[in-house]
Amino acid sequence: MNIGLLHSRIRAEEKMLLEEFKRREIRCEEIDVRKIAFLSGHVTWSRFDLVVDRCISEAQAEATLAILESMDIPCVNRLSVRQVCGNKLTTSLALERAGVPSIPFRIALSAESALQAIAGVGYPAVLKPIVGSWGRFLARVNDADAAEAVLEHKSHLGSPMHQVFYIQPFIEKGGSDIRSFVIGDETVAAIRRRSNHWITNTARGASAENCVVTSELDRISRDAALAVGGGAVAIDVVETPDGRLLINEVNATMEFRNSIDTTGVNIPARLVDFFVGLGAAA
């Protein structure tokens, strides 16, 4: 079996996956997408039984996956999954269409309509760019004055990512949320992320502890994964004060370095099991 691993930087997660492939004596070729150029009709990619996407850049990943899938090269996650998960609006629409409980949202396309939408949601509210990760560029606005200031700044930043206003009500989640890991049709593990800050991403300093995968968490996690197209995804889940679970986001390129010792689950091994199964079936 010959597996290709797309990357734009080798992080801890990619190192773990490469070590697991090596331990099993499975050929895995590192492919730095920054160093390749595709030729029309080029067929050398057919040597791969499966290509695994571990790119950081959404744009680079989507371009590469589009080309590979046009050559009928099996990829995981698929381009369609990456596209849905890479945009908070398309993620929310997919969850809503599938009937998966998720945080309500509103979309506005101007600062004026965004101010009205935030008022409709109620204060405090959360403003997010539709594209982004690691808890960056999030803003909690507690009143109209704060909302006007943030919206004015966003309007003048110039980037397309700041021209679509994605708005959610602020959910009081008790200083924590849950990240679950779905591989194929199984929720293999989950962590609870805790922080004194309202943003509970581990990339922003939150601590991680094991979270028991209850039947309810398992069901909503698998439903969310199925809604975006399946594969191997990480699900961000919030628990409301009245105990309901709501999906916040779905991540197509899971980060798991802080979750192996925490959960006792060998996530890289579970991923390689999944990849090998897909490659054999292709």
Side-chain angles (χ1 to χ4, degrees):
M1 180 172 294
N2 190 16
I3 291 178
L5 189 141
L6 301 175
H7 69 88
S8 46
R9 190 173 75 214
I10 296 293
R11 301 167 293 174
E13 285 82 1
E14 287 72 50
K15 289 179 182 177
M16 293 177 193
L17 290 171
L18 290 168
E19 289 170 0
E20 185 64 23
F21 280 121
K22 183 178 180 180
R23 187 185 68 80
R24 301 189 192 194
E25 299 182 341
I26 297 171
R27 178 178 171 82
C28 181
E29 183 177 332
E30 298 177 38
I31 306 165
D32 187 338
V33 296
R34 300 167 299 177
K35 299 179 180 180
I36 59 176
F38 292 94
L39 303 177
S40 178
H42 207 42
V43 297
T44 59
W45 291 87
S46 61
R47 69 186 184 275
F48 293 113
D49 297 291
L50 181 74
V51 171
V52 176
D53 169 33
R54 292 294 307 176
C55 293
I56 295 174
S57 165
E58 293 287 343
Q60 291 174 340
E62 290 184 13
T64 305
L65 292 172
I67 294 168
L68 294 181
E69 290 187 4
S70 76
M71 301 177 186
D72 296 322
I73 306 300
C75 298
V76 60
N77 285 320
R78 300 190 311 275
L79 171 63
S80 58
V81 176
R82 182 85 190 217
Q83 288 175 323
V84 171
C85 294
N87 183 300
K88 293 178 178 60
L89 172 57
T90 53
T91 301
S92 293
L93 292 173
L95 295 169
E96 188 176 73
R97 186 164 52 248
V100 181
S102 56
I103 299 178
F105 69 99
R106 296 190 182 193
I107 292 291
L109 303 180
S110 71
E112 294 76 14
S113 59
L115 194 60
Q116 295 175 2
I118 295 170
V121 165
Y123 293 99
V126 176
L127 273 168
K128 299 180 178 180
I130 59 172
V131 176
S133 57
W134 301 321
R136 296 174 300 188
F137 300 113
L138 306 188
R140 171 179 166 174
V141 292
N142 295 324
D143 55 38
D145 289 340
E148 288 178 359
V150 171
L151 292 169
E152 181 179 5
H153 280 86
K154 282 182 169 289
S155 297
H156 288 86
L157 285 173
S159 169
M161 71 182 289
H162 293 296
Q163 303 308 305
V164 177
F165 303 97
Y166 179 95
I167 301 152
Q168 292 177 320
F170 176 77
I171 304 294
E172 181 53 64
K173 54 186 181 180
S176 74
D177 70 354
I178 298 168
R179 168 161 286 191
S180 60
F181 301 91
V182 178
I183 301 175
D185 58 359
E186 184 181 358
T187 309
V188 300
I191 60 171
R192 184 173 291 276
R193 306 182 296 187
R194 296 190 184 275
S195 176
N196 292 326
H197 196 278
W198 68 274
I199 299 175
T200 47
N201 296 63
T202 53
R204 296 281 295 267
S207 62
E209 61 188 51
N210 184 47
C211 178
V212 175
V213 179
T214 64
S215 59
E216 183 183 9
L217 178 58
D218 174 50
R219 181 176 63 255
I220 196 171
S221 297
R222 288 187 293 108
D223 287 349
L226 184 62
V228 301
V233 294
I235 318 286
D236 292 348
V237 188
V238 298
E239 189 172 8
T240 66
D242 59 0
R244 292 178 297 128
L245 296 182
L246 299 175
I247 303 298
N248 188 14
E249 296 180 10
V250 183
N251 304 274
T253 309
M254 64 170 67
E255 296 178 344
F256 48 80
R257 72 185 74 184
N258 297 316
S259 305
I260 300 168
D261 293 339
T262 305
T263 64
V265 176
N266 190 337
I267 297 175
R270 299 298 295 269
L271 284 168
V272 170
D273 287 341
F274 179 59
F275 299 152
V276 169
L278 290 177

